[in-house]
Amino acid sequence: VVTLNNEFVTWETVTVRNQNYYMADVYTIELPINGNPQFDYSFWANVPSGEIKIYMGFPPNPDNFTASDLTLIFEGGLDTIDLSVGLNTVTLTGRDYAYLLIDKKITNSYVSRTASQIATELATQNGLTPIVTATTTPVGQYTYNEFNFLPNAVTEWDLLTYFAQLEKFNLYVIRKELHFEPFPNPNIPAFSIPIQLADLEFPFPRVNVTSMNFGRTLTLASDIDVTIQSFSMLEGGVIKKTATSSQVSKGVASPKQSFIYSRPNLTPAQAAIQAEVMARDITQWEKKLDFEMPADAALTKNTPIKITGTNTEWDQTYYIDTLNRTLSADASEGFTMSIEAKNHSELVKVNVT
């Protein structure tokens, strides 16, 4: 079920892309113009804005159901309208309500408040319900340079993303809730995918998905150094802090990868925090998993994916990067889902010097 400004829409295909790591969820909807006489050429030429709701799932009675029998997968705004005269269709795209913060520049200085206080204030100002875990560090302690927190072509979303990374938090909007909370969330049970390897009876691996692929980035599987260097007037010179991500596993040693970043006016403690955060962020891309399967409306982008059965280091928890659901009016295509997930090896340790 799809609604535009609370009116039901006849659609041909609907795709919702749920994205993690500080990205807004997005959608694409293709509509037949003939199937929606209330939305004619004049409407699409003049509509100033739109609120989209997308419901998906498996109702008890497929021949007689309402939106209340389904799961609200997406709620957000309308960004673009593409009208095809030849096909007589309209394609709509848009983002979830994170766009309210993505499209707005900051207008205040926040150095004396904590990250959670700022997240709560910005959520409320944008008409969102704050689901915020309290933090205790005033954001001014992240940097001495107050200019970074004044209006400076920085969006509200960029600001909260910066604080979320330093606090090791997740930041996302679902429906009309802004979430600013620890990541991963230990209260969300993992979605388990057991793999049965090939044996004498079954010459091919067996897994309850349509397709599955693993991947490794070997440059990120080696030890990594991330150095933050900063000239600080209060410290009277240049300070350097290095976070080293090391593989605590046997294997052939590989060359260490080094990354150096400059940040102004940090204390040694602040530089250490930023080095650790960036090292963990880089190594998250070491191991990748993608798979396709019939859609599950209950799965969310924050659900961990637990792989078992290979008896190797592929058996671990992965965190979803993108979750795509596509629903087609064509019965041959149906309701499908694809997921891309990632994580570093569970044997990775990060030390700061």
Side-chain angles (χ1 to χ4, degrees), residues 28-43:
T28 301
I29 306 170
E30 187 173 310
L31 314 174
I33 293 179
N34 289 345
N36 296 279
Q38 74 277 36
F39 302 127
D40 56 14
Y41 273 59
S42 176
F43 174 86

Side-chain angles (χ1 to χ4, degrees), residues 17-23 25 73 96 131 169-175 177-191 296-306 317-325 337 339-342:
R17 182 179 180 89
N18 301 118
Q19 305 183 109
N20 242 324
Y21 302 99
Y22 319 116
M23 300 287 287
D25 293 346
I73 295 293
D96 66 25
I131 308 298
F169 273 25
N170 200 1
L171 170 67
Y172 61 96
V173 172
I174 183 169
R175 302 181 184 91
E177 298 175 347
L178 183 140
H179 289 251
F180 187 82
E181 57 197 15
F183 179 82
N185 186 337
N187 297 320
I188 299 178
F191 181 75
D296 182 342
L299 201 68
T300 77
K301 64 183 180 182
N302 296 312
T303 303
I305 307 297
K306 182 70 174 178
T317 299
Y318 297 81
Y319 298 100
I320 293 176
D321 188 24
T322 60
L323 188 163
N324 292 284
R325 293 184 180 92
M337 179 171 72
I339 288 178
E340 297 176 7
K342 65 184 181 181

Side-chain angles (χ1 to χ4, degrees), residues 5 40-50 78 81 83:
N5 295 336
D40 56 14
Y41 273 59
S42 176
F43 174 86
W44 297 118
N46 295 285
V47 61
S49 62
L78 174 61
I81 301 167
L83 193 154

Side-chain angles (χ1 to χ4, degrees), residues 211-233:
S211 66
M212 175 179 285
N213 299 288
F214 291 109
R216 282 184 70 213
T217 303
L218 297 185
T219 54
L220 300 182
S222 60
D223 290 354
I224 290 174
D225 279 347
V226 175
T227 298
I228 299 293
Q229 57 185 16
S230 177
F231 178 81
S232 172
M233 290 182 291

Side-chain angles (χ1 to χ4, degrees), residues 97-122:
Y97 284 116
Y99 84 84
L100 296 170
L101 292 86
I102 293 172
D103 294 347
K104 188 185 296 184
K105 302 294 191 297
I106 63 171
T107 57
N108 295 311
S109 174
Y110 297 102
V111 293
S112 62
R113 277 171 276 182
T114 66
S116 60
Q117 289 171 335
I118 297 169
T120 299
E121 178 179 325
L122 293 180

Side-chain angles (χ1 to χ4, degrees), residues 183-253:
F183 179 82
N185 186 337
N187 297 320
I188 299 178
F191 181 75
S192 181
I193 303 179
I195 299 174
Q196 294 177 278
L197 298 179
D199 53 29
L200 292 177
E201 184 178 0
F202 296 96
F204 300 101
R206 288 161 291 161
V207 59
N208 195 27
V209 297
T210 307
S211 66
M212 175 179 285
N213 299 288
F214 291 109
R216 282 184 70 213
T217 303
L218 297 185
T219 54
L220 300 182
S222 60
D223 290 354
I224 290 174
D225 279 347
V226 175
T227 298
I228 299 293
Q229 57 185 16
S230 177
F231 178 81
S232 172
M233 290 182 291
L234 293 180
E235 297 293 330
V238 176
I239 61 172
K240 291 184 180 181
K241 286 292 179 179
T242 299
T244 299
S245 173
S246 303
Q247 289 275 6
V248 188
S249 61
K250 58 186 178 181
V252 178

